[in-house]
Amino acid sequence: VSTYLCERAWLGGPASEPAVLIETEGARITAVRPSYTEPLPEGTTMLRGLTVPGLANAHSHAFHRALRGRTHDARGTFWSWRELMYAVADRLDPASMLALARAVYAEMALAGITAVAEFHYLHHGPGGKAYDDPNEMGHAMVAGARAAGIRVTLVDTCYLTGGIGRPLSGAQLRFGDGDAERWAERVDSLAAAYTSAGDVTVGAAVHSVRAVPPDGISTVAAWAARSARPLHVHLSEQVAENEATEEAYGRTPTRLLADNGALGPATTVVHATHLTDDDVVLLGATGTGVCLCPTTERDLADGVGPAPALVAAGSALSLGSDSQAVVDLFEEARGVELDERLAGRRRGTFSAEQLLSAATAGGHAALGHPGDGRIAPGSVADLVSLRLDSVRTAGAGDGPATAVFAASAADVTDVVVGGRAVVRDGRHLLVDDVPGALADAVRDVTG
Ligand SMILES: [Zn+2]
């Protein structure tokens, strides 16, 4: 049993509450008592500033962190960026993957991210040759998350074709399992390795309708449904994907997913940028979640998706750092609203508490843990404290709007993950020198 006294804590409303005592047992919150004035239980940890629930990063490719600062300044497209990404993918092995994942997840912990959905497709060795344990790269991702002190939902990604009707080539060969049945066999053994692990969830992903043919989509969706695991998929990030799908199948990517059983409340589609009105209705009516990644979408010139229409139709939002161009979920949260202001020339479509909920409860639900990401009894004991006296936050209030519209990841001082302190006073307690670890790991895979 542990207790925390938060100077201010956000419990889900439009304002924060003062003097909130939080009691935890093991990894869970057992009691929350705002305006606490009684004597403090012995050993109570003081959390200064504003405490919010742990942030959940619902879409990550850890190794893309190696591209930060190397691909932004030139002209080019999503597709030319992808060529550079493949060059890094080609160099990674289980040891360098683990080192990079550990460093990137430590960066995330310092930013207040307590759980991450890793969209994992770099499965095999060069040329597509399986490692002795065909899940060695997945185990490296898990080991990286554990070393950094955060939980991971490893959404193991089926990736079979290099485009509709085209075989894999080059670095893509490392992503493939041959067919969806062999993907399912491999992921069965991955899931079996973590059945009793509280910090690891194995989920499924369809890379995209470009990379998995319809019968493969059905197989992956059936696997996820059978084992009640989350299913993620990249959807309509680029207009070219829509055009190719219309040409090959005579329908939109969203309709293709629906026709193959891949939509529903356990599914999260990532990006959902270029949708028809029918697509929006289909996603909302099936209760499919939508993960937006505004900093990546702006970096790659993807466009702005119809977030308000999706929410109105019934889809829940979550947020992801995706390409790691930026690791700051406060920036992702404000990006949703600020992009909408530019696209719709209207302010205030989303409230600060809606945006902060997407970064917290919405993300944990997308990771397969609905009910987590709240400061409430029964929720996982993930707490993130922000300074209210930095140059960014001083004088900017103490409610959810302060977190979303004033703070940055650099304002995070303390992070508790499942009842365990991982960051204290801005220092990572498990990884001594996070910038040094990042620099070493990136140098190792970029030369
Ligand atoms: Zn992605």
Side-chain angles (χ1 to χ4, degrees):
V1 177
S2 301
T3 53
Y4 304 85
L5 183 70
C6 309
E7 189 180 353
R8 313 272 328 177
W10 178 63
L11 306 182
S16 65
E17 305 293 331
V20 179
L21 190 84
I22 299 172
E23 297 173 8
T24 66
E25 210 175 309
R28 295 272 145 191
I29 295 172
T30 50
V32 177
R33 303 163 75 180
S35 301
Y36 186 82
T37 53
E38 293 162 47
L40 288 177
E42 204 177 328
T44 296
T45 301
M46 306 298 288
L47 295 174
R48 305 215 173 279
L50 172 65
T51 297
V52 302
L55 308 175
N57 185 356
H59 189 66
S60 160
H61 308 279
F63 79 87
H64 294 188
R65 175 65 176 78
L67 299 169
R68 186 187 296 173
R70 295 164 197 276
T71 66
H72 314 284
D73 62 346
R75 282 182 73 90
T77 64
F78 170 91
W79 309 102
S80 59
W81 169 86
R82 196 176 69 155
E83 290 308 311
L84 293 163
M85 184 267 280
Y86 285 166
V88 172
D90 220 18
R91 295 183 63 156
L92 282 156
D93 60 24
S96 56
M97 186 72 255
L98 194 164
L100 186 54
R102 169 180 174 271
V104 174
Y105 294 151
E107 178 184 1
M108 289 185 192
L110 287 172
I113 291 165
T114 57
V116 61
E118 178 67 27
F119 198 101
H120 170 59
Y121 53 80
L122 188 53
H123 303 117
H124 303 299
K129 188 174 178 304
Y131 290 107
D132 290 344
D133 177 342
N135 284 306
E136 203 166 334
M137 292 294 264
H139 296 314
M141 308 301 309
V142 170
R146 284 179 165 165
I150 69 173
R151 293 188 305 280
V152 63
T153 292
L154 193 65
V155 285
D156 195 294
T157 305
C158 187
Y159 196 131
L160 302 174
T161 61
I164 295 172
R166 286 209 307 271
L168 297 175
S169 63
Q172 294 173 336
L173 291 168
R174 301 188 63 178
F175 311 160
D177 287 295
D179 58 46
E181 283 70 28
R182 274 182 276 175
W183 168 88
E185 252 169 61
R186 184 178 54 71
V187 182
D188 273 334
S189 76
L190 178 69
Y194 299 104
T195 39
S196 56
D199 58 340
V200 180
T201 302
V202 173
V206 167
H207 178 276
S208 59
V209 300
R210 290 178 276 124
V212 183
D215 60 335
I217 295 172
S218 300
T219 300
V220 176
W223 184 91
R226 194 165 58 239
S227 52
R229 293 173 186 277
L231 173 65
H232 288 208
V233 52
H234 288 130
L235 177 67
S236 292
E237 180 177 5
Q238 294 286 324
V239 172
E241 171 180 306
N242 290 3
E243 291 169 351
T245 308
E246 282 285 356
E247 194 183 314
Y249 304 115
R251 63 199 88 175
T252 66
T254 301
R255 175 60 68 182
L256 189 68
L257 290 176
D259 289 349
N260 288 282
L263 300 185
T267 299
T268 296
V269 296
V270 181
H271 303 302
T273 309
H274 302 286
L275 302 181
T276 65
D277 292 348
D278 284 349
D279 292 339
V280 171
V281 170
L282 204 45
L283 292 168
T286 51
T288 301
V290 175
C291 178
L292 303 173
C293 309
T295 67
T296 293
E297 290 151 9
R298 75 171 75 132
D299 186 56
L300 293 177
D302 288 344
V304 178
L310 285 162
V311 170
S315 288
L317 297 184
S318 55
L319 302 170
S321 66
D322 191 5
S323 69
Q324 329 296 0
V326 174
V327 172
D328 184 340
L329 284 200
F330 302 116
E331 175 65 26
E332 303 295 344
R334 84 177 138 257
V336 172
E337 166 64 18
L338 297 184
D339 284 353
E340 191 50 38
R341 290 181 188 187
L342 287 174
R345 289 182 288 162
R346 189 176 56 236
R347 305 179 85 223
T349 301
F350 294 105
S351 68
E353 53 269 39
Q354 274 179 300
L355 297 166
L356 197 50
S357 292
T360 54
H364 288 277
L367 268 61
H369 302 286
D372 283 352
R374 295 176 172 86
I375 298 182
S379 185
V380 73
D382 287 5
L383 303 172
V384 173
S385 301
L386 298 171
R387 300 175 57 155
L388 294 175
D389 60 355
S390 75
V391 289
R392 289 166 293 276
T393 56
D398 56 20
T402 313
V404 172
F405 292 109
S408 82
D411 294 311
V412 171
T413 58
D414 292 82
V415 180
V416 173
V417 183
R420 172 201 198 194
V422 172
V423 175
R424 189 175 293 146
D425 292 328
R427 278 199 44 244
H428 200 293
L429 300 178
L430 306 174
V431 180
D432 262 349
D433 174 11
V434 177
L438 283 163
D440 290 348
V442 170
R443 190 181 314 112
D444 202 33
V445 297
T446 53

